[in-house]
Amino acid sequence: MDFSEKKVYSEKIDYLKKNVYSEKSSYSEKDLFSGKGVYCLIFENRACKFEVGKKGEFSFDAGFHIYVGSALGSGGLKRVKRHINLSRNRDRNPRWHVDYLHLNPAFRLVSAVYAFTSDRLECTLASRIGGDSVSGFGCTDCACSSHLFYRNKSPLLEVIETFEALGLSALVLEL
């Protein structure tokens, strides 16, 4: 690693220290989840295969999966809180494709990255993240090929950089 790479890495660590909120943060849920926006859920998982509603059976490689979603409806970013609660409690029936990940013991939600915006950026964000994807997952209401993407190592910094490239200030929740 040369000096310039160390500087970039150091800057990213500083960014994370300022913008990552853990459960010990002093911010209220109202502050964290009020308003509308766009988000990514980052799951870590072991290799598995299971049914996802009417979509049928899917195979998932071990590693990380990034789900891209929008929170522009009446509840706004409270949707992110719903995802976090479902992953923790596993106490509801699945409503969306991503709910099957929350409910499967092979998957663990490790981070939620989101930004406040009223712009429809979900598909743009999914396109920019791109790469290996699970075809047809989470995109029944748009023309995208997928809203679920695979990485073999943690994609947290990549996701933050993608938000920044879109002019969004990413907020990160470590779970």
Side-chain angles (χ1 to χ4, degrees), residues 8-24:
V8 169
Y9 180 77
S10 174
E11 288 172 358
K12 286 296 175 191
I13 295 301
D14 289 344
Y15 176 91
L16 286 171
K17 285 179 182 173
K18 288 189 290 192
N19 292 292
V20 172
Y21 300 97
S22 69
E23 294 190 60
K24 298 173 187 156

Side-chain angles (χ1 to χ4, degrees), residues 74-174:
S74 61
L77 286 163
K78 289 183 182 110
R79 181 173 289 185
V80 175
K81 183 173 172 24
R82 177 200 176 275
H83 287 300
I84 293 167
N85 287 339
L86 184 57
S87 265
R88 283 187 183 146
N89 303 328
R90 297 185 172 162
D91 60 349
R92 296 182 184 181
N93 290 325
R95 179 174 178 185
W96 296 299
H97 293 155
V98 69
D99 291 349
Y100 289 88
L101 305 184
H102 290 300
L103 296 171
N104 191 288
F107 278 78
R108 182 174 65 91
L109 183 62
V110 294
S111 301
V113 181
Y114 66 97
F116 295 100
T117 182
S118 57
D119 295 334
R120 296 191 173 280
L121 295 174
E122 176 184 14
C123 295
T124 303
L125 184 58
S127 173
R128 294 266 182 111
I129 289 173
D132 291 341
S133 66
V134 180
S135 183
F137 198 101
C139 57
T140 56
D141 60 348
C142 67
C144 295
S145 61
S146 185
H147 279 208
L148 185 66
F149 304 93
Y150 171 78
R151 299 295 188 269
N152 62 0
K153 61 181 183 174
S154 175
L156 182 58
L157 291 178
E158 173 192 352
V159 169
I160 291 168
E161 289 169 352
T162 305
F163 273 73
E164 290 174 346
L166 292 172
L168 299 170
S169 296
L171 299 170
V172 180
L173 294 171
E174 288 184 313

Side-chain angles (χ1 to χ4, degrees), residues 37-50:
V38 64
Y39 63 92
C40 289
L41 303 174
I42 301 174
F43 294 90
E44 185 173 12
N45 65 283
R46 62 182 186 271
C48 60
K49 184 187 292 189
F50 57 89

